Amino acid sequence: MSSIGDLSAGRLSRVSALKLYDFRNYGSLDLRFDKRFVVFAGPNGAGKTNLLEALSLLSPGRGMRRASYGEMMRQAGANAFSVRADLTLGDDMTSVLTGVKGEEDRPASRQVRIGETVVKSSDELLDLSRIVWLTPGMDGLFTGPAGDRRRFLDRMVLSIDPAHGRRAGDFERAMRSRNKLLSDNRNDDVWLSGIETQMAELAVAMVFARDQLVGHLERAIAMADIASPFPKAGLDLDHGLETSDLSAPAVEIEDRYRERLARNRMRDAYAGRTLEGPHRADLSVTHLAKAMPAGLSSTGEQKALLVGLIIAHARITSALSGMTPILLLDEIAAHLDAGRRASLFDLVAELGGQTFMTGTDASLFEALGERAQMVTITDGAARTGP
Ligand SMILES: Nc1ncnc2c1ncn2[C@@H]1O[C@H](COP(=O)(O)OP(=O)(O)OP(=O)(O)O)[C@@H](O)[C@H]1O
């Protein structure tokens, strides 16, 4: 395995073309990218974030806004949308087509085609690239609900352990079956025991995968330049289990959790949900230098902490997945002072991957010079150049 400091370990993945049909405020759009930095500049509401959202659909899940597919379809009578991209990994180029066709009375699900093959799960996109984003929607991450931090954590785990998404989905389904049996008062011991055994096995795999990721992140943060303007974050992971001691063998942790699930059926039936498990995990973040919870830091400090975390995540993704991630940074430049902005550009350049950024003020990106492709966005249309 490559070390986290070894950024050359990742194969470069990049998007060389993007075509949209009836996606958000775009009727039809055809863009080519030929630089490592791509900046989408334009006024408020022009469609800059929509482009990053389209790019985020080149990774598993519902994209960086977690919007419904109906919301992504162009509000002009469209009942379908598609996003097509040419993705290059190392020397191999593949086309990816993803989209949704609306159907009466049925929530649309998205199809993904890689080359000529319609794939079973969007998780297969992880064979082609890793995509890491930072958006204004993540501003409340340290103070908001634990579910947001769990999702943030699980996306990071997924980037180095693609099986994590399936495990988490299977756990969620098993837990819902248990909750339903308990709330229907169907105390079928054989059935419940079978479900709880499955839950315990999946839970322990999830817990260890999350723990490993946090360990890697901590090491990457510790290695970050002391002079960096992005403060170091301290991480504390609550696994959602009664004990956070993972020193015992995995089978023992699994057995104990399974026993507690069986013992606590009545309690959970009253609560109407399973009260213990990895679905209740939380990641606490502290501002290390100030020895203070990140949630008490100023808005600017929280943003800087987040940037530090994302850079650490990108570094470990590159070293451990073997792919240099594509970064999507929405409205970051405007929120950083000139010094931090220059440092961000340097850190991103050092990562070596392709980076897409947005901003209303193109001049904030002048320091990138020839390294950046400037794309001007106006009202659902785009053209390369200022
Ligand atoms: N499904 C849709 N169909 C048509 N237009 C849409 C749809 N969803 C969003 N929009 C429009 O897209 C525009 C917002 O685009 P986007 O969020 O990309 O803006 P932006 O350029 O990032 O702006 P800002 O600088 O304010 O963040 C809005 O005008 C919104 O009305």
Side-chain angles (χ1 to χ4, degrees):
M1 194 179 275
S2 320
S3 87
I4 288 165
D6 182 7
L7 295 179
S8 60
R11 276 190 296 164
L12 187 66
S13 64
R14 66 190 174 84
V15 182
S16 53
L18 180 71
K19 284 186 185 179
L20 306 182
Y21 292 100
D22 284 339
F23 183 82
R24 295 281 189 183
N25 63 335
Y26 294 93
S28 158
L29 182 83
D30 191 348
L31 272 173
R32 315 259 139 188
F33 307 118
D34 54 15
K35 301 228 166 127
R36 289 260 180 97
F37 285 98
V38 179
V39 175
F40 300 130
N44 292 134
K48 306 178 294 294
T49 306
N50 292 345
L51 288 179
L52 295 192
E53 185 184 32
L55 290 163
S56 72
L57 290 178
L58 303 175
S59 69
R62 288 215 315 262
M64 67 182 206
R65 278 183 171 129
R66 293 186 47 76
S68 72
Y69 296 127
E71 286 167 323
M72 295 182 203
M73 289 174 196
R74 195 155 73 103
Q75 301 289 299
N79 73 338
F81 75 80
S82 73
V83 173
R84 180 191 289 268
D86 290 342
L87 252 178
T88 305
L89 175 62
D91 296 326
D92 304 320
M93 210 257 276
T94 319
S95 69
V96 174
L97 175 64
T98 184
V100 162
K101 255 199 186 92
E103 282 171 38
E104 301 267 320
D105 304 331
R106 265 212 297 155
S109 63
R110 87 161 151 135
Q111 273 211 350
V112 177
R113 206 167 76 194
I114 299 179
E116 294 305 312
T117 311
V118 175
V119 299
K120 282 207 190 83
S121 151
S122 61
D123 282 0
E124 293 188 40
L125 289 166
L126 292 169
D127 293 341
L128 303 177
S129 71
R130 294 291 188 276
I131 301 187
V132 172
W133 55 74
L134 182 53
T135 71
M138 289 157 72
D139 282 355
L141 191 73
F142 302 131
T143 49
D148 288 352
R149 283 184 294 279
R150 243 181 343 262
R151 252 193 305 279
F152 176 68
L153 175 69
D154 281 342
R155 277 202 68 77
M156 292 195 281
V157 178
L158 197 63
S159 72
I160 59 165
D161 182 355
H164 187 67
R166 185 189 43 76
R167 269 186 228 123
D170 288 351
F171 176 86
E172 186 73 31
R173 270 185 292 281
M175 184 180 68
R176 265 193 254 122
S177 310
R178 178 178 185 268
N179 291 349
K180 177 94 178 62
L181 282 174
L182 292 178
S183 70
D184 290 351
N185 249 327
R186 285 158 69 194
N187 241 327
D188 183 325
D189 186 54
V190 175
W191 204 351
L192 277 166
S193 296
I195 292 173
E196 286 162 357
T197 302
Q198 193 197 7
M199 283 171 67
E201 194 184 322
L202 292 162
V204 169
M206 286 169 70
V207 161
F208 275 92
R210 286 171 174 168
D211 198 65
Q212 204 178 25
L213 179 276
V214 169
H216 288 311
L217 259 185
E218 284 174 331
R219 279 186 287 282
I221 290 168
M223 283 167 60
D225 187 351
I226 192 85
S228 165
F230 302 109
K232 295 191 183 210
L235 306 174
D236 184 22
L237 180 56
D238 171 354
H239 290 290
L241 298 186
E242 211 170 78
T243 166
S244 53
D245 177 15
L246 299 186
S247 59
V251 278
E252 226 171 83
I253 299 172
E254 190 178 316
D255 286 346
R256 299 288 157 280
Y257 177 48
R258 185 172 42 75
E259 284 161 15
R260 288 196 300 277
L261 283 172
R263 207 170 45 237
N264 290 323
R265 284 176 194 165
M266 196 186 280
R267 178 196 72 182
D268 290 353
Y270 275 121
R273 63 206 159 99
T274 302
L275 289 175
E276 185 193 349
H279 59 294
R280 309 211 56 192
D282 196 1
L283 179 71
S284 307
V285 180
T286 49
H287 187 302
L288 267 186
K290 294 198 162 179
M292 204 189 262
L296 296 182
S297 299
S298 74
T299 316
E301 281 172 330
Q302 290 190 34
K303 196 92 183 178
L305 268 168
L306 253 180
V307 171
L309 265 179
I310 292 293
I311 296 291
H313 171 214
R315 289 178 83 99
I316 61 174
T317 300
S318 191
L320 302 174
S321 76
M323 295 182 209
T324 308
I326 295 169
L327 296 186
L328 310 179
L329 305 179
D330 193 15
E331 278 179 46
I332 304 303
H335 293 272
L336 300 175
D337 54 48
R340 285 198 169 88
R341 206 159 49 238
S343 295
L344 175 68
F345 294 161
D346 287 347
L347 282 168
V348 169
E350 189 198 332
L351 281 167
Q354 192 180 27
T355 301
F356 294 87
M357 293 184 278
T358 64
T360 47
D361 181 358
S363 69
L364 296 181
F365 301 92
E366 266 164 10
L368 290 171
E370 286 299 303
R371 289 181 293 170
Q373 175 180 351
M374 299 298 296
V375 183
T376 304
I377 315 290
T378 22
D379 207 9
R383 65 175 165 75
T384 287

